[in-house]
Amino acid sequence: MEQNAADFGELLMTFQAKLGSMWSLGRSALLMGGVAAALGTASTGAYAQNQAITYLLPAPASAVAFAPLMLAQKKGYFEQAGLTVRFVSVQGGADVGKQLAAGNGDLGGALGDTPIVLRPNGVKVKGVALLGGRTLHQLMIRSDRNVKNLTDLKGKTLTVIAYQDTSFYAAQAVLARAGLTRQDVAIQAAGPTGVWQQVAEGKADGLVGAPEWGIQIEQQGVKVDWKSTDTFFPGMAQAIMASDETIAKRPDMVKKFVGAVVRSLNEIKADPKAAAVAYTEAVPSYKGQEAFVEKVLTYYVKTVYPNQSKTGAFDPDRVSKLQDYYASKDIIRSKSPVNDLFTNQFVQ
C-alpha cells in the first residue's frame, strides 16, 4: 500500500507539472469562456460596479456537485455581495491549487484534502470554506456482484475518474482496510462518463466517486450498494480554496464569496426539492431531470453535508487526522502546520 501511495504522489506531481504548461497556452481562451456566460453573467448594467473574479472549477461546471455555486450565481447572491463571478473549468483540484498559487485565478474548488498534498510542494493554498462535514467520495458496487465485505472485492474491477484524482487514492485506502492492494483489485481510470457507464454496462463491478454517478447507474436499472468512504478513510468534502496571498490582500472579497455560497448551501440543506427545481433553471442541460437532481441533492444533504458545527467550517481534528494518514502512506513528504491548511475566519 505504501509503495502504491508513493507512486500516486509522484504521478500527481508529474501531472501538475504538465498541466502548468498546458495552462499557459490555454488560459486566454479559457478566460474568454466559462459557465458565467451560460448563466447570464454580464459586465454591464447592475454588474458594472461589481468586483470581477475568476473561480476555477476542478471539473466541468455541469456536475451537480457544484450546485451551491451555480445556485448562488443564479439567485444573484454574488451580485448582491458586489461580485461578478466567472467560472472556468481546469483539470482537477490539484491544478486548481497550483493555478491559484500562481495568480491565475482568484478562488477555486477542490477537495478539502488538496492543501495537505500541495503545501509540502510549495503550493501555498488553503481551504477557506468546506462544503460538508463528511466526505464527497462514495464506494458504489453493483448489487449483483455478491460483494458482502471488502475482502470480496478481490479479483473485481473498480473505476475512478482518473489516476490523478483523489478518488484513486481513496480507492486504494478502502482496499487497504481489507488488506488488499492494486494487485488484488483492478482500478481503472475511466473519465467523467466512463466511470459510471462501465459499471452500468457490467464492464466494472463498482466505482469510487461522487454520489451522482451511483444515481446515474441506478437510472439504468442497475441496483447499487452504497458506502461512504469515510467509513474507511478520513477524507473531506469539497472546499473553496484561496492562495495565502489572496487571503492576506483580499479578505473582504473572500468573505463575500464564501458568504454567498454558504447561503446557497444552507438553502439546499433546508429544501433539496426546491433547490433541484432552481438548479435545472440555472443549468438548462438538466431541464426535465428535476427528479434526478432532487435525488442527487437529497443524497448530498443526508450523506455529504452533515456533521459541521457551522456550515462551511473545517474541523481541525479531522484535518489533522487526515494529514497524519497521508503522511503514514507517504503521499506527502512532510506535514504542514494544521492552521496552514485551512482557515475558518470567513465562516465565523
Side-chain angles (χ1 to χ4, degrees):
M1 172 65 183
E2 285 77 3
Q3 183 59 50
N4 288 336
D7 291 344
F8 171 64
E10 182 178 349
L11 179 62
L12 179 59
M13 287 185 286
T14 301
F15 179 68
Q16 292 167 3
K18 291 180 178 178
L19 285 171
S21 60
M22 290 168 59
W23 175 270
S24 63
L25 293 174
R27 181 172 178 261
S28 297
L30 283 170
L31 294 181
M32 291 298 292
V35 153
L39 294 180
T41 298
S43 58
T44 59
Y47 292 87
Q49 303 304 314
N50 285 1
Q51 182 179 9
I53 69 170
T54 297
Y55 188 92
L56 304 181
L57 295 168
S62 58
V64 182
F66 301 140
L69 300 166
M70 299 302 114
L71 288 175
Q73 180 84 303
K74 176 66 175 179
K75 294 182 178 182
Y77 297 162
F78 295 134
E79 179 189 358
Q80 292 169 26
L83 303 174
T84 297
V85 181
R86 178 186 295 275
F87 292 105
V88 174
S89 296
V90 297
Q91 300 293 323
D95 191 37
V96 169
K98 185 173 182 179
Q99 299 308 328
L100 291 178
N104 293 328
D106 301 295
L107 297 168
L111 289 186
D113 312 34
T114 307
I116 294 174
V117 176
L118 295 184
R119 288 195 78 98
N121 298 324
V123 182
K124 295 184 177 181
V125 293
K126 63 176 61 175
V128 296
L130 186 65
L131 308 185
R134 297 187 65 187
T135 187
L136 171 71
H137 289 134
Q138 312 294 307
L139 172 66
M140 295 164 276
I141 306 293
R142 287 180 62 112
S143 300
D144 60 7
R145 298 307 163 95
N146 197 35
V147 175
K148 305 300 181 183
N149 302 290
L150 288 181
T151 52
D152 296 331
L153 288 172
K154 187 172 183 178
K156 304 294 187 182
T157 297
L158 295 178
T159 58
V160 296
I161 187 172
Y163 293 131
Q164 302 86 2
D165 189 73
T166 313
S167 59
F168 175 58
Y169 175 58
Q172 293 181 81
V174 169
L175 298 179
R177 282 293 300 269
L180 301 175
T181 70
R182 289 188 65 195
Q183 284 65 51
D184 300 307
V185 179
I187 303 178
Q188 297 181 353
T193 302
V195 66
W196 68 266
Q197 284 187 343
Q198 289 191 23
V199 180
E201 295 169 358
K203 297 176 182 177
D205 303 290
L207 67 86
V208 174
E212 47 261 50
W213 293 333
I215 295 173
Q216 285 173 309
I217 294 170
E218 291 181 336
Q219 285 196 314
Q220 306 304 309
V222 178
K223 188 176 180 182
V224 177
D225 295 324
W226 298 66
K227 197 76 163 180
S228 176
T229 59
D230 66 5
T231 305
F232 317 106
F233 166 68
M236 287 190 280
Q238 297 177 84
I240 300 171
M241 292 198 308
S243 68
D244 289 6
E245 182 177 3
T246 294
I247 292 170
K249 294 183 177 179
R250 304 168 68 192
D252 187 55
M253 179 274 291
V254 178
K255 184 175 181 178
K256 289 177 179 179
F257 186 93
V258 168
V261 176
V262 166
R263 178 182 177 185
S264 176
L265 178 56
N266 279 330
E267 291 178 348
I268 295 173
K269 290 163 66 175
D271 193 344
K273 183 173 183 178
V277 174
Y279 180 81
T280 59
E281 295 174 355
V283 186
S285 61
Y286 283 96
K287 202 67 179 175
Q289 300 183 57
E290 288 80 3
F292 166 74
V293 175
E294 180 184 349
K295 190 171 184 179
V296 173
L297 293 181
T298 298
Y299 190 87
Y300 271 87
V301 169
K302 292 181 177 179
T303 312
V304 178
Y305 295 155
N307 298 352
Q308 284 186 300
S309 59
K310 184 178 182 64
T311 301
F314 287 82
D315 176 0
D317 185 59
R318 188 181 184 97
V319 176
S320 180
K321 288 179 179 177
L322 179 57
Q323 180 172 228
D324 288 345
Y325 197 90
Y326 272 53
S328 72
K329 301 304 177 185
D330 294 327
I331 287 295
I332 56 177
R333 296 188 181 95
S334 61
K335 294 197 293 185
S336 306
V338 173
N339 288 338
D340 286 352
L341 301 172
F342 73 95
T343 176
N344 284 331
Q345 72 185 83
F346 302 109
V347 297
Q348 296 297 332

mmCIF file of all heavy atoms in Angstrom, residues 107-139:
data_model
loop_
_atom_site.group_PDB
_atom_site.id
_atom_site.type_symbol
_atom_site.label_atom_id
_atom_site.label_comp_id
_atom_site.label_asym_id
_atom_site.label_seq_id
_atom_site.Cartn_x
_atom_site.Cartn_y
_atom_site.Cartn_z
ATOM 1 N N LEU A 107 -10.240 32.463 -6.769
ATOM 2 C CA LEU A 107 -10.676 31.415 -5.854
ATOM 3 C C LEU A 107 -10.877 30.154 -6.668
ATOM 4 O O LEU A 107 -10.890 30.191 -7.899
ATOM 5 C CB LEU A 107 -11.982 31.803 -5.147
ATOM 6 C CG LEU A 107 -11.948 33.028 -4.233
ATOM 7 C CD1 LEU A 107 -13.370 33.447 -3.853
ATOM 8 C CD2 LEU A 107 -11.129 32.759 -2.982
ATOM 9 N N GLY A 108 -11.047 29.017 -5.995
ATOM 10 C CA GLY A 108 -11.258 27.782 -6.736
ATOM 11 C C GLY A 108 -11.765 26.669 -5.848
ATOM 12 O O GLY A 108 -11.799 26.799 -4.615
ATOM 13 N N GLY A 109 -12.149 25.571 -6.470
ATOM 14 C CA GLY A 109 -12.712 24.447 -5.743
ATOM 15 C C GLY A 109 -11.871 23.192 -5.878
ATOM 16 O O GLY A 109 -11.262 22.936 -6.914
ATOM 17 N N ALA A 110 -11.834 22.417 -4.818
ATOM 18 C CA ALA A 110 -11.145 21.123 -4.788
ATOM 19 C C ALA A 110 -11.642 20.410 -3.543
ATOM 20 O O ALA A 110 -12.456 20.953 -2.783
ATOM 21 C CB ALA A 110 -9.632 21.301 -4.736
ATOM 22 N N LEU A 111 -11.164 19.211 -3.307
ATOM 23 C CA LEU A 111 -11.481 18.566 -2.046
ATOM 24 C C LEU A 111 -10.738 19.258 -0.912
ATOM 25 O O LEU A 111 -9.669 19.848 -1.115
ATOM 26 C CB LEU A 111 -11.102 17.089 -2.090
ATOM 27 C CG LEU A 111 -11.961 16.179 -2.975
ATOM 28 C CD1 LEU A 111 -11.545 14.729 -2.785
ATOM 29 C CD2 LEU A 111 -13.443 16.337 -2.669
ATOM 30 N N GLY A 112 -11.279 19.158 0.287
ATOM 31 C CA GLY A 112 -10.607 19.736 1.437
ATOM 32 C C GLY A 112 -9.240 19.129 1.674
ATOM 33 O O GLY A 112 -8.375 19.738 2.320
ATOM 34 N N ASP A 113 -9.006 17.926 1.123
ATOM 35 C CA ASP A 113 -7.718 17.243 1.249
ATOM 36 C C ASP A 113 -6.591 17.960 0.507
ATOM 37 O O ASP A 113 -5.412 17.806 0.842
ATOM 38 C CB ASP A 113 -7.794 15.830 0.636
ATOM 39 C CG ASP A 113 -8.991 15.015 1.073
ATOM 40 O OD1 ASP A 113 -10.067 15.591 1.291
ATOM 41 O OD2 ASP A 113 -8.853 13.797 1.173
ATOM 42 N N THR A 114 -6.920 18.708 -0.526
ATOM 43 C CA THR A 114 -5.936 19.165 -1.506
ATOM 44 C C THR A 114 -4.764 19.959 -0.923
ATOM 45 O O THR A 114 -3.607 19.699 -1.279
ATOM 46 C CB THR A 114 -6.639 19.957 -2.613
ATOM 47 O OG1 THR A 114 -7.714 19.160 -3.150
ATOM 48 C CG2 THR A 114 -5.684 20.302 -3.738
ATOM 49 N N PRO A 115 -4.985 20.928 -0.022
ATOM 50 C CA PRO A 115 -3.829 21.647 0.525
ATOM 51 C C PRO A 115 -2.846 20.734 1.268
ATOM 52 O O PRO A 115 -1.647 21.032 1.307
ATOM 53 C CB PRO A 115 -4.471 22.658 1.484
ATOM 54 C CG PRO A 115 -5.833 22.889 0.917
ATOM 55 C CD PRO A 115 -6.256 21.533 0.415
ATOM 56 N N ILE A 116 -3.339 19.633 1.819
ATOM 57 C CA ILE A 116 -2.455 18.697 2.516
ATOM 58 C C ILE A 116 -1.409 18.149 1.548
ATOM 59 O O ILE A 116 -0.238 17.985 1.904
ATOM 60 C CB ILE A 116 -3.274 17.546 3.127
ATOM 61 C CG1 ILE A 116 -4.193 18.074 4.222
ATOM 62 C CG2 ILE A 116 -2.359 16.448 3.674
ATOM 63 C CD1 ILE A 116 -5.146 17.016 4.790
ATOM 64 N N VAL A 117 -1.825 17.893 0.320
ATOM 65 C CA VAL A 117 -0.929 17.337 -0.688
ATOM 66 C C VAL A 117 -0.052 18.414 -1.315
ATOM 67 O O VAL A 117 1.133 18.194 -1.588
ATOM 68 C CB VAL A 117 -1.733 16.609 -1.782
ATOM 69 C CG1 VAL A 117 -0.815 16.102 -2.890
ATOM 70 C CG2 VAL A 117 -2.529 15.458 -1.181
ATOM 71 N N LEU A 118 -0.607 19.611 -1.516
ATOM 72 C CA LEU A 118 0.096 20.636 -2.281
ATOM 73 C C LEU A 118 1.106 21.453 -1.472
ATOM 74 O O LEU A 118 2.167 21.820 -1.987
ATOM 75 C CB LEU A 118 -0.916 21.587 -2.925
ATOM 76 C CG LEU A 118 -1.844 20.990 -3.985
ATOM 77 C CD1 LEU A 118 -2.713 22.080 -4.587
ATOM 78 C CD2 LEU A 118 -1.064 20.270 -5.068
ATOM 79 N N ARG A 119 0.800 21.766 -0.230
ATOM 80 C CA ARG A 119 1.672 22.672 0.517
ATOM 81 C C ARG A 119 3.090 22.126 0.714
ATOM 82 O O ARG A 119 4.055 22.904 0.645
ATOM 83 C CB ARG A 119 1.037 23.053 1.860
ATOM 84 C CG ARG A 119 -0.155 23.995 1.705
ATOM 85 C CD ARG A 119 -0.539 24.634 3.017
ATOM 86 N NE ARG A 119 0.361 25.719 3.376
ATOM 87 C CZ ARG A 119 0.121 27.014 3.159
ATOM 88 N NH1 ARG A 119 -0.999 27.382 2.549
ATOM 89 N NH2 ARG A 119 0.996 27.919 3.518
ATOM 90 N N PRO A 120 3.292 20.829 0.929
ATOM 91 C CA PRO A 120 4.670 20.337 1.036
ATOM 92 C C PRO A 120 5.475 20.533 -0.244
ATOM 93 O O PRO A 120 6.703 20.489 -0.220
ATOM 94 C CB PRO A 120 4.483 18.844 1.345
ATOM 95 C CG PRO A 120 3.155 18.763 2.000
ATOM 96 C CD PRO A 120 2.321 19.774 1.274
ATOM 97 N N ASN A 121 4.776 20.768 -1.363
ATOM 98 C CA ASN A 121 5.451 21.024 -2.636
ATOM 99 C C ASN A 121 5.593 22.516 -2.913
ATOM 100 O O ASN A 121 5.898 22.915 -4.041
ATOM 101 C CB ASN A 121 4.671 20.365 -3.781
ATOM 102 C CG ASN A 121 4.602 18.862 -3.626
ATOM 103 O OD1 ASN A 121 5.551 18.239 -3.156
ATOM 104 N ND2 ASN A 121 3.484 18.275 -4.002
ATOM 105 N N GLY A 122 5.327 23.334 -1.906
ATOM 106 C CA GLY A 122 5.498 24.774 -2.063
ATOM 107 C C GLY A 122 4.319 25.502 -2.657
ATOM 108 O O GLY A 122 4.417 26.680 -2.993
ATOM 109 N N VAL A 123 3.186 24.828 -2.802
ATOM 110 C CA VAL A 123 1.983 25.444 -3.356
ATOM 111 C C VAL A 123 1.167 25.991 -2.184
ATOM 112 O O VAL A 123 0.502 25.243 -1.479
ATOM 113 C CB VAL A 123 1.155 24.437 -4.178
ATOM 114 C CG1 VAL A 123 -0.067 25.125 -4.784
ATOM 115 C CG2 VAL A 123 2.008 23.831 -5.279
ATOM 116 N N LYS A 124 1.204 27.307 -2.000
ATOM 117 C CA LYS A 124 0.651 27.917 -0.800
ATOM 118 C C LYS A 124 -0.817 28.298 -0.976
ATOM 119 O O LYS A 124 -1.163 29.440 -1.288
ATOM 120 C CB LYS A 124 1.492 29.121 -0.397
ATOM 121 C CG LYS A 124 2.904 28.723 0.020
ATOM 122 C CD LYS A 124 3.708 29.905 0.505
ATOM 123 C CE LYS A 124 5.090 29.456 0.973
ATOM 124 N NZ LYS A 124 5.900 30.581 1.479
ATOM 125 N N VAL A 125 -1.666 27.292 -0.807
ATOM 126 C CA VAL A 125 -3.110 27.485 -0.831
ATOM 127 C C VAL A 125 -3.706 26.852 0.413
ATOM 128 O O VAL A 125 -3.107 25.965 1.025
ATOM 129 C CB VAL A 125 -3.762 26.859 -2.086
ATOM 130 C CG1 VAL A 125 -3.329 27.585 -3.347
ATOM 131 C CG2 VAL A 125 -3.447 25.372 -2.181
ATOM 132 N N LYS A 126 -4.900 27.300 0.775
ATOM 133 C CA LYS A 126 -5.588 26.691 1.910
ATOM 134 C C LYS A 126 -7.092 26.759 1.688
ATOM 135 O O LYS A 126 -7.586 27.548 0.868
ATOM 136 C CB LYS A 126 -5.221 27.363 3.221
ATOM 137 C CG LYS A 126 -5.618 28.822 3.354
ATOM 138 C CD LYS A 126 -5.291 29.393 4.733
ATOM 139 C CE LYS A 126 -3.826 29.356 5.045
ATOM 140 N NZ LYS A 126 -3.503 30.016 6.349
ATOM 141 N N GLY A 127 -7.823 25.935 2.398
ATOM 142 C CA GLY A 127 -9.270 25.951 2.315
ATOM 143 C C GLY A 127 -9.835 27.127 3.090
ATOM 144 O O GLY A 127 -9.375 27.434 4.194
ATOM 145 N N VAL A 128 -10.845 27.782 2.507
ATOM 146 C CA VAL A 128 -11.489 28.906 3.187
ATOM 147 C C VAL A 128 -12.944 28.598 3.527
ATOM 148 O O VAL A 128 -13.590 29.360 4.238
ATOM 149 C CB VAL A 128 -11.397 30.191 2.350
ATOM 150 C CG1 VAL A 128 -9.946 30.617 2.195
ATOM 151 C CG2 VAL A 128 -12.049 30.023 0.976
ATOM 152 N N ALA A 129 -13.470 27.497 3.025
ATOM 153 C CA ALA A 129 -14.802 27.020 3.389
ATOM 154 C C ALA A 129 -14.904 25.567 2.949
ATOM 155 O O ALA A 129 -14.414 25.198 1.879
ATOM 156 C CB ALA A 129 -15.909 27.849 2.736
ATOM 157 N N LEU A 130 -15.540 24.751 3.774
ATOM 158 C CA LEU A 130 -15.711 23.323 3.480
ATOM 159 C C LEU A 130 -17.188 23.042 3.296
ATOM 160 O O LEU A 130 -18.002 23.313 4.190
ATOM 161 C CB LEU A 130 -15.142 22.479 4.623
ATOM 162 C CG LEU A 130 -15.120 20.964 4.418
ATOM 163 C CD1 LEU A 130 -14.176 20.586 3.279
ATOM 164 C CD2 LEU A 130 -14.698 20.258 5.710
ATOM 165 N N LEU A 131 -17.551 22.478 2.135
ATOM 166 C CA LEU A 131 -18.963 22.305 1.789
ATOM 167 C C LEU A 131 -19.472 20.932 2.215
ATOM 168 O O LEU A 131 -19.902 20.112 1.409
ATOM 169 C CB LEU A 131 -19.157 22.526 0.287
ATOM 170 C CG LEU A 131 -18.579 23.839 -0.258
ATOM 171 C CD1 LEU A 131 -18.938 24.016 -1.718
ATOM 172 C CD2 LEU A 131 -19.042 25.035 0.565
ATOM 173 N N GLY A 132 -19.413 20.693 3.514
ATOM 174 C CA GLY A 132 -19.912 19.440 4.070
ATOM 175 C C GLY A 132 -18.986 18.895 5.133
ATOM 176 O O GLY A 132 -17.773 19.086 5.069
ATOM 177 N N GLY A 133 -19.564 18.210 6.102
ATOM 178 C CA GLY A 133 -18.779 17.664 7.199
ATOM 179 C C GLY A 133 -18.315 16.245 6.989
ATOM 180 O O GLY A 133 -17.530 15.717 7.792
ATOM 181 N N ARG A 134 -18.786 15.597 5.925
ATOM 182 C CA ARG A 134 -18.340 14.245 5.616
ATOM 183 C C ARG A 134 -17.603 14.263 4.276
ATOM 184 O O ARG A 134 -17.305 15.326 3.738
ATOM 185 C CB ARG A 134 -19.523 13.272 5.613
ATOM 186 C CG ARG A 134 -20.197 13.147 6.980
ATOM 187 C CD ARG A 134 -21.247 12.060 6.995
ATOM 188 N NE ARG A 134 -20.641 10.738 6.794
ATOM 189 C CZ ARG A 134 -21.346 9.617 6.632
ATOM 190 N NH1 ARG A 134 -22.674 9.666 6.623
ATOM 191 N NH2 ARG A 134 -20.736 8.468 6.465
ATOM 192 N N THR A 135 -17.313 13.098 3.746
ATOM 193 C CA THR A 135 -16.520 13.046 2.518
ATOM 194 C C THR A 135 -17.394 13.022 1.271
ATOM 195 O O THR A 135 -18.527 12.531 1.299
ATOM 196 C CB THR A 135 -15.600 11.809 2.516
ATOM 197 O OG1 THR A 135 -14.720 11.871 1.403
ATOM 198 C CG2 THR A 135 -16.400 10.521 2.455
ATOM 199 N N LEU A 136 -16.850 13.540 0.182
ATOM 200 C CA LEU A 136 -17.558 13.508 -1.095
ATOM 201 C C LEU A 136 -17.623 12.097 -1.662
ATOM 202 O O LEU A 136 -18.645 11.653 -2.176
ATOM 203 C CB LEU A 136 -16.858 14.422 -2.094
ATOM 204 C CG LEU A 136 -17.347 14.350 -3.545
ATOM 205 C CD1 LEU A 136 -18.722 14.983 -3.673
ATOM 206 C CD2 LEU A 136 -16.368 15.034 -4.499
ATOM 207 N N HIS A 137 -16.530 11.343 -1.563
ATOM 208 C CA HIS A 137 -16.422 10.065 -2.263
ATOM 209 C C HIS A 137 -17.267 8.961 -1.627
ATOM 210 O O HIS A 137 -17.333 8.830 -0.402
ATOM 211 C CB HIS A 137 -14.965 9.600 -2.301
ATOM 212 C CG HIS A 137 -14.113 10.415 -3.208
ATOM 213 N ND1 HIS A 137 -12.869 10.882 -2.854
ATOM 214 C CD2 HIS A 137 -14.330 10.875 -4.466
ATOM 215 C CE1 HIS A 137 -12.356 11.573 -3.854
ATOM 216 N NE2 HIS A 137 -13.220 11.584 -4.837
ATOM 217 N N GLN A 138 -17.851 8.171 -2.514
ATOM 218 C CA GLN A 138 -18.651 7.020 -2.115
ATOM 219 C C GLN A 138 -18.096 5.761 -2.788
ATOM 220 O O GLN A 138 -17.584 5.822 -3.911
ATOM 221 C CB GLN A 138 -20.116 7.201 -2.547
ATOM 222 C CG GLN A 138 -20.725 8.556 -2.195
ATOM 223 C CD GLN A 138 -20.869 8.775 -0.714
ATOM 224 O OE1 GLN A 138 -21.454 7.944 -0.013
ATOM 225 N NE2 GLN A 138 -20.344 9.889 -0.212
ATOM 226 N N LEU A 139 -18.221 4.652 -2.100
ATOM 227 C CA LEU A 139 -17.921 3.350 -2.705
ATOM 228 C C LEU A 139 -19.250 2.769 -3.146
ATOM 229 O O LEU A 139 -20.143 2.552 -2.328
ATOM 230 C CB LEU A 139 -17.244 2.427 -1.694
ATOM 231 C CG LEU A 139 -17.049 0.968 -2.142
ATOM 232 C CD1 LEU A 139 -16.071 0.874 -3.309
ATOM 233 C CD2 LEU A 139 -16.570 0.105 -0.967
#
